[in-house]
Amino acid sequence: YEIAIPLTVTYPTQQDFYFEVTYQATANKNITPESGLIWGDNTTTNLHYFSIDQEKHAKVGEITCMYPFLDFYNGSINNQQNTVAVRKQGNFVYYYINGEFVYYNDTQDLRTGGNLVGISISGNTTLRITGTVIKGSQSVQNKQATARNQFALPNPLPAKAK
């Protein structure tokens, strides 16, 4: 099972945001630890997650669903320290692993709302957090939503319909 360590933020997540956490997850038993970010509203079905595991799988989903919406392999996930990030800008949500853009969806598919930001970890897992970044609307719009300028994250936008 997973637990969530919530952090309350002062701006609603339906606005633009950037959330990032850098950490190392270690399993205490013979399990593959899964961990990542959660955001949204825990009083409705509007609590979303972006998680990774040591088998190099990344998942995007909603807490109330039995299975993730998306489960994919990503070779940049390692068994040491990883950084996962989520950026909502306009009508799109962008996902990053270790500074690399890996996926996006529009907010019609995965609606955002609420004011909860947190970190999810699987049971019997130790999480050593070495950094977090939470930025609101102005930082995201100015494309400054990165932990360190030398690791600037891409700001992909889908092609416009003609």
Side-chain angles (χ1 to χ4, degrees):
Y1 70 96
E2 291 193 18
I3 62 169
I5 306 166
L7 306 169
T8 302
V9 295
T10 58
Y11 56 90
T13 57
Q14 65 264 26
Q15 294 182 5
D16 291 346
F17 61 77
Y18 178 81
F19 305 141
E20 174 185 291
V21 64
T22 301
Y23 62 90
Q24 179 177 0
T26 308
N28 296 333
K29 299 206 181 223
N30 291 333
I31 62 167
T32 300
E34 185 175 329
S35 49
L37 294 172
I38 58 169
W39 67 96
D41 181 357
N42 66 351
T43 62
T44 67
T45 60
N46 201 19
L47 189 59
H48 310 290
Y49 65 88
F50 176 46
S51 63
I52 61 173
D53 65 32
Q54 290 182 348
E55 292 178 349
K56 301 186 181 227
H57 280 261
K59 298 174 184 170
V60 175
E62 200 169 75
I63 295 293
T64 57
C65 294
M66 184 175 286
Y67 300 103
F69 301 142
L70 181 69
D71 182 349
F72 61 95
Y73 178 85
N74 183 280
S76 69
I77 299 169
N78 61 65
N79 292 338
Q80 301 300 314
Q81 183 169 279
N82 289 288
T83 300
V84 293
V86 176
R87 175 198 312 264
K88 181 193 173 284
Q89 187 170 4
N91 293 324
F92 296 92
V93 179
Y94 304 95
Y95 303 87
Y96 304 87
I97 298 173
N98 294 326
E100 295 178 19
F101 167 74
V102 294
Y103 180 70
Y104 81 93
N105 63 265
D106 68 39
T107 55
Q108 290 180 349
D109 294 335
L110 195 63
R111 296 175 191 245
T112 58
N115 66 348
L116 179 71
V117 179
I119 300 165
S120 65
I121 61 173
S122 53
N124 296 315
T125 301
T126 301
L127 199 65
R128 181 176 170 255
I129 300 171
T130 57
T132 59
V133 177
I134 301 174
K135 294 190 177 192
S137 298
Q138 287 184 333
S139 296
V140 173
Q141 290 171 358
N142 294 331
K143 301 178 185 177
Q144 297 298 312
T146 59
R148 301 160 301 279
N149 287 336
Q150 68 268 28
F151 296 108
L153 299 175
N155 187 24
L157 294 174
K160 293 182 179 179
K162 295 184 180 189

